[in-house]
Amino acid sequence: GQHKVGMDYLPFKAHIDSSSYSKIDSEAGTILPKQVMSHANNDYLYYTRESGTLPKSIFRAEISENGDSLMNEEFLHNSTEAFAGKLLPEAEIVSWDQDSVSLDAQLFLPAQEKGKAPMILIPYANAYLNRFPNMDYFLEKGIFLLTSQGYAVALANNSGGTNQRRQDKEYGPRELRDALGFLDAVGDHPRVDTSRVALIGHSHGATMVSYFISHSDRFDVAVGI
């Protein structure tokens, strides 16, 4: 199952205390004859062979008449495939030329909806020339949730933001120019609606969100964290 905590959907598996029941030891592990589901006069056990918090495969087997073994095992469901089909986005790289350099963006698209999705742009750090945050970058925890709700999400590189430019009070113009260049580059994308664009940023990214929203009318929503 899934349990919502803040912006995360945390997978979980129930564990049943078996201390008060007789047990069957089988290839499926230790099972509990009394913790079964009955259907058409047969008792069934539903189980997984895996121990992770999100087990991949779910099986069903009948419990024998004398209650000491399993039989007629059936494979029922690949839970991670179903999970992925609902929550994991499609992803692609978008490239565009910005003055003398070529820049890239990671673009995540909702898997369930094939129409044009509103865009969420995440400015994430300064002077990022064609590299992206590590996969443990904390804002990425929200990307799956946002795409599952029908948004396109982008991490777009930029070529600005050196300390010298900060001292020269040129902190923001290049980043904004590069962000607008990305929106122009993705403007004809059949899955992205660039007429509706939100910004979400943390730390330096929040500074960029404030700069972008106060120096351009291209953005509709701004969230600084």
Side-chain angles (χ1 to χ4, degrees), residues 198-202 205-206 209 221-225:
L199 298 164
I200 298 176
H202 165 257
V209 164
V221 176
V223 180
I225 303 170

mmCIF file of all heavy atoms in Angstrom, residues 198-202 205-206 209 221-225:
data_model
loop_
_atom_site.group_PDB
_atom_site.id
_atom_site.type_symbol
_atom_site.label_atom_id
_atom_site.label_comp_id
_atom_site.label_asym_id
_atom_site.label_seq_id
_atom_site.Cartn_x
_atom_site.Cartn_y
_atom_site.Cartn_z
ATOM 1 N N ALA A 198 5.137 27.637 -13.456
ATOM 2 C CA ALA A 198 5.393 27.918 -12.048
ATOM 3 C C ALA A 198 6.874 27.725 -11.759
ATOM 4 O O ALA A 198 7.577 26.999 -12.473
ATOM 5 C CB ALA A 198 4.561 26.994 -11.154
ATOM 6 N N LEU A 199 7.351 28.358 -10.691
ATOM 7 C CA LEU A 199 8.733 28.240 -10.233
ATOM 8 C C LEU A 199 8.754 27.684 -8.817
ATOM 9 O O LEU A 199 7.962 28.100 -7.974
ATOM 10 C CB LEU A 199 9.421 29.612 -10.223
ATOM 11 C CG LEU A 199 9.570 30.344 -11.554
ATOM 12 C CD1 LEU A 199 9.891 31.811 -11.287
ATOM 13 C CD2 LEU A 199 10.659 29.698 -12.392
ATOM 14 N N ILE A 200 9.650 26.732 -8.557
ATOM 15 C CA ILE A 200 9.895 26.256 -7.199
ATOM 16 C C ILE A 200 11.407 26.222 -6.999
ATOM 17 O O ILE A 200 12.117 25.623 -7.811
ATOM 18 C CB ILE A 200 9.316 24.854 -6.956
ATOM 19 C CG1 ILE A 200 7.796 24.851 -7.134
ATOM 20 C CG2 ILE A 200 9.677 24.356 -5.559
ATOM 21 C CD1 ILE A 200 7.173 23.461 -6.996
ATOM 22 N N GLY A 201 11.908 26.847 -5.932
ATOM 23 C CA GLY A 201 13.345 26.840 -5.696
ATOM 24 C C GLY A 201 13.686 26.865 -4.228
ATOM 25 O O GLY A 201 12.930 27.390 -3.404
ATOM 26 N N HIS A 202 14.864 26.303 -3.900
ATOM 27 C CA HIS A 202 15.352 26.264 -2.522
ATOM 28 C C HIS A 202 16.704 26.949 -2.436
ATOM 29 O O HIS A 202 17.547 26.802 -3.328
ATOM 30 C CB HIS A 202 15.475 24.802 -2.062
ATOM 31 C CG HIS A 202 16.297 24.648 -0.806
ATOM 32 N ND1 HIS A 202 17.592 24.194 -0.812
ATOM 33 C CD2 HIS A 202 15.979 24.929 0.481
ATOM 34 C CE1 HIS A 202 18.052 24.176 0.422
ATOM 35 N NE2 HIS A 202 17.109 24.616 1.234
ATOM 36 N N GLY A 205 18.241 28.568 -5.270
ATOM 37 C CA GLY A 205 17.107 28.468 -6.186
ATOM 38 C C GLY A 205 15.966 29.397 -5.795
ATOM 39 O O GLY A 205 15.275 29.945 -6.651
ATOM 40 N N ALA A 206 15.753 29.590 -4.477
ATOM 41 C CA ALA A 206 14.722 30.521 -4.023
ATOM 42 C C ALA A 206 15.091 31.957 -4.371
ATOM 43 O O ALA A 206 14.232 32.781 -4.692
ATOM 44 C CB ALA A 206 14.509 30.374 -2.513
ATOM 45 N N VAL A 209 14.185 32.246 -7.916
ATOM 46 C CA VAL A 209 12.732 32.368 -8.042
ATOM 47 C C VAL A 209 12.309 33.815 -7.813
ATOM 48 O O VAL A 209 11.512 34.376 -8.580
ATOM 49 C CB VAL A 209 12.028 31.419 -7.046
ATOM 50 C CG1 VAL A 209 10.563 31.797 -6.866
ATOM 51 C CG2 VAL A 209 12.148 29.973 -7.506
ATOM 52 N N VAL A 221 3.357 31.494 -11.032
ATOM 53 C CA VAL A 221 3.401 31.106 -9.628
ATOM 54 C C VAL A 221 4.853 31.015 -9.207
ATOM 55 O O VAL A 221 5.698 30.553 -9.985
ATOM 56 C CB VAL A 221 2.710 29.741 -9.402
ATOM 57 C CG1 VAL A 221 2.840 29.295 -7.945
ATOM 58 C CG2 VAL A 221 1.252 29.791 -9.811
ATOM 59 N N ALA A 222 5.169 31.455 -7.973
ATOM 60 C CA ALA A 222 6.550 31.366 -7.478
ATOM 61 C C ALA A 222 6.539 30.830 -6.055
ATOM 62 O O ALA A 222 5.831 31.362 -5.196
ATOM 63 C CB ALA A 222 7.219 32.741 -7.518
ATOM 64 N N VAL A 223 7.326 29.775 -5.799
ATOM 65 C CA VAL A 223 7.466 29.197 -4.464
ATOM 66 C C VAL A 223 8.946 29.186 -4.116
ATOM 67 O O VAL A 223 9.741 28.491 -4.762
ATOM 68 C CB VAL A 223 6.906 27.753 -4.404
ATOM 69 C CG1 VAL A 223 7.079 27.186 -2.996
ATOM 70 C CG2 VAL A 223 5.441 27.737 -4.832
ATOM 71 N N GLY A 224 9.322 29.967 -3.109
ATOM 72 C CA GLY A 224 10.707 29.993 -2.630
ATOM 73 C C GLY A 224 10.789 29.292 -1.288
ATOM 74 O O GLY A 224 10.024 29.591 -0.377
ATOM 75 N N ILE A 225 11.724 28.343 -1.166
ATOM 76 C CA ILE A 225 11.837 27.530 0.045
ATOM 77 C C ILE A 225 13.178 27.830 0.710
ATOM 78 O O ILE A 225 14.209 27.700 0.045
ATOM 79 C CB ILE A 225 11.765 26.023 -0.288
ATOM 80 C CG1 ILE A 225 10.454 25.719 -1.040
ATOM 81 C CG2 ILE A 225 11.863 25.189 0.979
ATOM 82 C CD1 ILE A 225 10.406 24.327 -1.606
#
